[in-house]
């Protein structure tokens, strides 16, 4: 039934109601309401959807009101409308020229906890002689229209925005955390469907848009967005339902300090998607990346940007990445990468000072502040030359096997980490190199959030270009936490074993390295004075790695496995 025929049908029914108030008329009114409800449900079923309608009312104002409309594809997506009212356009605008549709709040729920909400709107709807239907937004603002054209086997949709403040109308969230404030949008979006295939073409510009900080992607942290920015998005893609194939041969995103492009292919969706992703960043401004990655950028950013001038930033990086693998198995992902970093002309003072002796302040769990003296003047300081080479080897095997081969970040681990975090809705999996861990300890908070990972990566590039590998290892071993109130290798060796670092056995070295990922959490695993049955395998796996690279002999390996490790837990005897 076309829009004009439906309106004519409704208006004739209303004329009948106005002519007489007999019971038969009211009976017909109820029958019409039932017919409309049945038609909605039937159309949904014909399209393979499930629909529910709380109520249908035919009256004078408005002629047709549908309340509690819910439609969707179970397990994939759903759309709910509080109310939908259909009325003829006001007399001055032509009775049969079109209709006016008033929608209450809309809520769409997609996979992965994605939710989109649109506030109440009023649309003018018109049909033209070609069979196309145009929906033009009238309230709460103008400047947005959607046209639907019939096509062979399907339809084509085209949305156009002209200075449309979509940020005030649309809310996009994941697990309750805001992802986007679209700002003011210009451009177009095209969608063409035929059979089980769909083509998409986006060409959009947004002014004053605010994207989620990368912490928000995992649903953690507070509900904040990054600072406003101008965005430009170009994207072309297709979806082939029969093959479960999504192809985006080219996309490009530009914003202040960030220019990225690439391609995407997903095959066998949703059963067991296989991924092929190409990503290129022409120029990534590190200061901008740090600001976008979390609402509270570290102090090094403010120090580098407050002086002004392009040469006073944090440098820039360009990278090219290709990722292939199966989405359901992060371990299957294979990464080819190329990274180039251009350091700033002037190194930020907060990083420059790390070349020399310095003081590092930490906050203990009880809020107390403690200063760590990273210099030979401190009795707790251990120079890298005095650290047993076997301990360094154990550390690298446990925390960053590619330490001497990367420039601060290992892109090969990041896609798997992101995929795992997204699927779990947490920041459970890490992808930090030793340099990133040092950046976190020196400049960032304890929070394990995705935004912090990107901040670690940006700061790691600066640390690597400024300090070099040996200095990074030396600082790392003297400042990292090894337990509540235990910072640095020498205090850790003394606390747990009553020894100097040079006196540690291979088993004791492996235990200290095994503590690094959870120095506070693992305290309960050594609370009895010996490693628990759940923790000891972590130690033994490190010993096995040492043996596999011939860092220890077979006899040393067997002795270490048999060693009865006695530990004094942090805080014992206080």
């Amino acid at each position: 039934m076309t829009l004009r025929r439906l309106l004519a049908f409704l208006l004739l029914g209303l004329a009948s109601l106005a002519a007489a108030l007999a019971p038969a008329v009211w009976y017909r009114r109820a029958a019409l309401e039932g017919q409309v409800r049945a038609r909605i449900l039937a159309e949904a079923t014909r399209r393979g959807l499930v629909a529910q309608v709380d109520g249908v009312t035919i009256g004078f104002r408005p002629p047709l009101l549908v309340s509690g409309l819910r439609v969707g594809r179970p397990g994939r997506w759903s759309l709910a409308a509080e109310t939908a009212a259909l009325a003829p356009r006001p007399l001055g605008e032509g009775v049969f020229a079109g209709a006016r549709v008033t929608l209450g709040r809309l809520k769409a729920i997609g996979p992965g906890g994605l939710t989109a909400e649109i506030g109440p709107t009023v649309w003018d709807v018109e049909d033209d002689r070609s069979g196309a239907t145009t929906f033009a937004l009238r309230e709460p603002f103008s400047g947005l229209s959607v046209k639907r054209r019939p096509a062979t086997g399907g339809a084509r949709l085209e949305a156009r925005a002209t200075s449309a403040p979509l940020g005030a109308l649309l809310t996009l969230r994941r697990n309750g955390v805001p992802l986007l404030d679209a700002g003011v949008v210009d451009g177009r979006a095209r969608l063409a469907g035929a059979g089980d295939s769909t083509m998409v073409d986006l060409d959009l510009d947004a002014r004053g848009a605010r994207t989620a900080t990368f912490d928000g992607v995992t649903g953690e942290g507070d509900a904040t967005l990054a600072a406003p920015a101008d965005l430009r998005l170009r994207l072309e893609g297709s979806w082939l339902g029969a093959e479960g194939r999504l192809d985006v041969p080219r996309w490009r995103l530009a914003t202040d300090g960030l220019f990225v492009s690439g391609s995407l292919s997903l095959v066998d969706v949703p059963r067991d998607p296989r991924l092929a992703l190409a990503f290129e960043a022409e120029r990534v401004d590190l200061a901008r990346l740090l600001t976008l990655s979390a609402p509270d950028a570290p102090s090094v950013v403010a120090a580098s940007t407050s002086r002004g001038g392009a040469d006073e930033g944090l440098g820039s990086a360009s990278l090219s990445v290709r990722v292939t693998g199966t989405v359901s198995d992060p371990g299957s992902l294979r990464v080819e990468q190329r990274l180039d970093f251009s350091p700033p002309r002037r190194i930020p003072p907060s990083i420059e000072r790390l070349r020399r002796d310095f003081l590092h302040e930490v906050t203990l769990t009880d809020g107390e502040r403690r200063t760590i003296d990273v210099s030979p003047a401190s009795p707790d300081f251990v120079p890298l030359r005095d650290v047993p080479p076997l301990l360094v080897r154990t550390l690298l095997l446990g925390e960053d096997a590619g330490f001497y081969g990367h420039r601060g970040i290992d892109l090969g681990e990041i896609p798997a980490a992101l995929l795992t975090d997204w699927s779990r809705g947490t920041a459970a999996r890490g992808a930090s190199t030793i340099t990133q861990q040092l950046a976190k300890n020196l400049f960032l908070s304890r929070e394990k959030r995705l935004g912090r990972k990107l901040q670690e990566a940006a700061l790691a590039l600066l640390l690597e270009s400024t300090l070099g590998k040996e200095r990074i290892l030396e600082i790392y071993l003297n400042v990292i936490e090894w337990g509540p109130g235990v910072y640095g290798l020498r205090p850790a060796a003394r606390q747990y074993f009553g020894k100097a670092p040079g006196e540690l056995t291979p088993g004791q070295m492996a235990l200290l390295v095994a503590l690094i990922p959870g120095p506070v959490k693992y305290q309960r695993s050594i609370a009895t004075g010996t490693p628990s049955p759940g923790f000891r395998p972590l130690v033994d796996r490190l010993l096995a790695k040492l043996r596999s690279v011939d860092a220890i002999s077979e006899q040393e390996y067997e002795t270490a496995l048999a060693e009865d490790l006695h530990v004094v837990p942090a805080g014992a005897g206080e």
Side-chain angles (χ1 to χ4, degrees):
M1 179 180 293
T2 66
L3 180 61
R4 288 196 182 95
R5 291 178 61 190
L6 177 61
L7 282 173
F9 180 70
L10 290 175
L11 290 174
L12 287 173
L14 290 175
S16 299
L17 287 175
L21 297 178
V25 174
W26 290 108
Y27 173 79
R28 181 59 181 163
R29 171 175 174 268
L32 289 175
E33 292 172 347
Q35 291 174 11
V36 172
R37 185 178 187 277
R39 181 63 180 271
I40 293 173
L41 299 179
E43 287 296 321
T45 301
R46 187 171 67 87
R47 290 168 171 79
L49 306 175
V50 175
Q52 291 179 305
V53 177
D54 289 345
V56 175
T57 303
I58 291 179
F60 290 98
R61 287 188 173 181
L64 175 63
L65 174 65
V66 179
S67 59
L69 174 63
R70 295 175 295 279
V71 63
R73 200 176 296 276
R76 298 176 63 178
W77 60 269
S78 65
L79 174 66
E82 293 178 350
T83 58
L86 177 66
R89 296 270 291 278
L91 293 176
E93 301 179 29
V95 176
F96 292 102
R100 181 153 292 165
V101 176
T102 302
L103 298 176
R105 188 170 298 276
L106 296 176
K107 183 175 183 180
I109 300 176
L114 287 174
T115 302
E117 293 188 32
I118 299 176
T121 54
V122 178
W123 301 79
D124 284 340
V125 186
E126 291 186 4
D127 288 341
D128 61 26
R129 294 181 179 180
S130 69
T133 302
T134 301
F135 300 79
L137 185 62
R138 184 181 182 90
E139 297 179 11
F141 55 82
S142 60
L144 178 64
S145 65
V146 179
K147 177 172 285 189
R148 181 185 185 278
R149 297 179 182 274
T152 303
R156 290 180 295 168
L157 294 177
E158 180 173 346
R160 288 191 174 273
T162 304
S163 297
L166 294 186
L169 181 64
L170 170 68
T171 301
L172 185 64
R173 292 185 173 91
R174 181 176 188 255
N175 296 329
V177 178
L179 293 182
L180 174 69
D181 175 348
V184 179
V185 178
D186 289 275
R188 58 170 175 76
R190 294 173 178 167
L191 187 70
D196 61 358
S197 67
T198 304
M199 306 294 290
V200 180
D201 180 7
L202 301 179
D203 188 349
L204 301 173
D205 292 273
R207 302 188 302 278
R210 301 176 64 207
T211 58
T213 61
F214 294 108
D215 297 328
V217 174
T218 59
E220 296 190 354
D222 50 18
T224 55
L225 297 172
D230 293 344
L231 305 177
R232 187 169 191 177
L233 174 64
R234 302 290 182 268
L235 181 150
E236 294 181 2
S238 63
W239 163 253
L240 299 177
E243 302 176 22
R245 184 183 187 97
L246 173 66
D247 283 314
V248 182
R250 190 67 178 172
W251 59 267
R252 178 180 173 84
L253 175 67
T255 184
D256 185 17
L258 187 63
F259 304 89
V260 295
S261 62
S263 63
L264 170 68
S265 175
L266 280 171
V267 182
D268 202 18
V269 179
R271 292 181 292 274
D272 193 16
R274 298 189 303 278
L275 169 70
L277 169 68
F279 176 93
E280 294 183 4
E282 302 171 11
R283 180 176 64 87
V284 179
D285 182 270
L286 292 197
R288 181 62 178 167
L289 178 61
L290 287 170
T291 302
L292 286 172
S293 59
D296 50 342
S299 58
V300 64
V301 176
S304 66
T305 57
S306 62
R307 296 187 300 270
D311 294 336
E312 301 295 342
L314 299 178
S316 62
S318 62
L319 59 89
S320 176
V321 182
R322 179 172 176 80
V323 184
T324 57
T326 303
V327 173
S328 62
D329 180 15
S332 72
L333 297 178
R334 298 292 177 263
V335 179
E336 303 172 18
Q337 60 190 38
R338 178 186 58 79
L339 172 67
D340 295 312
F341 175 59
S342 299
R345 292 179 58 182
R346 181 181 300 178
I347 301 298
S350 56
I351 292 180
E352 172 69 28
R353 73 186 183 98
L354 302 178
R355 289 174 166 170
R356 305 175 296 276
D357 299 344
F358 67 95
L359 299 178
H360 174 56
E361 194 174 66
V362 297
T363 303
L364 306 183
T365 54
D366 60 2
E368 179 187 349
R369 305 286 290 179
R370 177 183 296 180
T371 299
I372 301 173
D373 185 359
V374 186
S375 76
S378 169
D380 288 336
F381 179 78
V382 54
L384 185 62
R385 63 177 178 272
D386 293 343
V387 177
L390 183 61
L391 195 152
V392 174
R393 193 73 180 274
T394 308
L395 172 67
L396 297 183
L397 286 173
E399 291 297 300
D400 188 358
F403 177 73
Y404 281 103
H406 62 62
R407 301 181 61 181
I409 62 176
D410 184 0
L411 298 175
E413 288 294 317
I414 292 177
L418 293 176
L419 191 59
T420 301
D421 290 347
W422 175 268
S423 63
R424 294 180 181 179
T426 66
R429 177 186 169 94
S432 295
T433 65
I434 281 177
T435 314
Q436 288 174 253
Q437 293 178 46
L438 179 60
K440 178 185 67 176
N441 278 274
L442 294 178
F443 300 108
L444 305 174
S445 70
R446 295 171 178 264
E447 296 169 293
K448 293 179 66 176
R449 303 191 300 189
L450 185 56
R452 293 295 183 262
K453 295 296 182 186
L454 292 178
Q455 291 188 335
E456 288 172 13
L459 291 170
L461 293 173
L462 283 168
L463 291 175
E464 288 270 345
S465 66
T466 304
L467 303 179
K469 298 290 186 180
E470 304 305 310
R471 180 58 173 166
I472 287 172
L473 275 178
E474 184 172 71
I475 297 175
Y476 179 87
L477 287 167
N478 280 280
V479 303
I480 65 168
E481 184 179 21
W482 251 295
V486 181
Y487 292 87
L489 174 59
R490 193 181 296 279
R494 182 172 62 241
Q495 168 66 47
Y496 293 115
F497 302 111
K499 293 182 176 182
E503 301 169 337
L504 296 172
T505 67
Q508 291 169 340
M509 294 177 188
L511 187 144
L512 286 181
V513 172
L515 284 173
I516 291 175
V520 176
K521 177 182 69 175
Y522 286 146
Q523 289 303 304
R524 60 178 177 267
S525 300
I526 57 173
T528 63
T530 56
S532 69
F535 184 74
R536 181 63 197 238
L538 301 180
V539 178
D540 293 345
R541 279 198 287 272
L542 279 172
L543 293 171
K545 288 182 178 181
L546 288 171
R547 180 69 193 100
S548 69
V549 296
D550 289 326
I552 56 177
S553 67
E554 184 64 28
Q555 180 61 46
E556 290 172 321
Y557 175 57
E558 295 294 338
T559 300
L561 288 177
E563 183 178 2
D564 189 11
L565 295 172
H566 292 282
V567 182
V568 179
E574 291 183 357

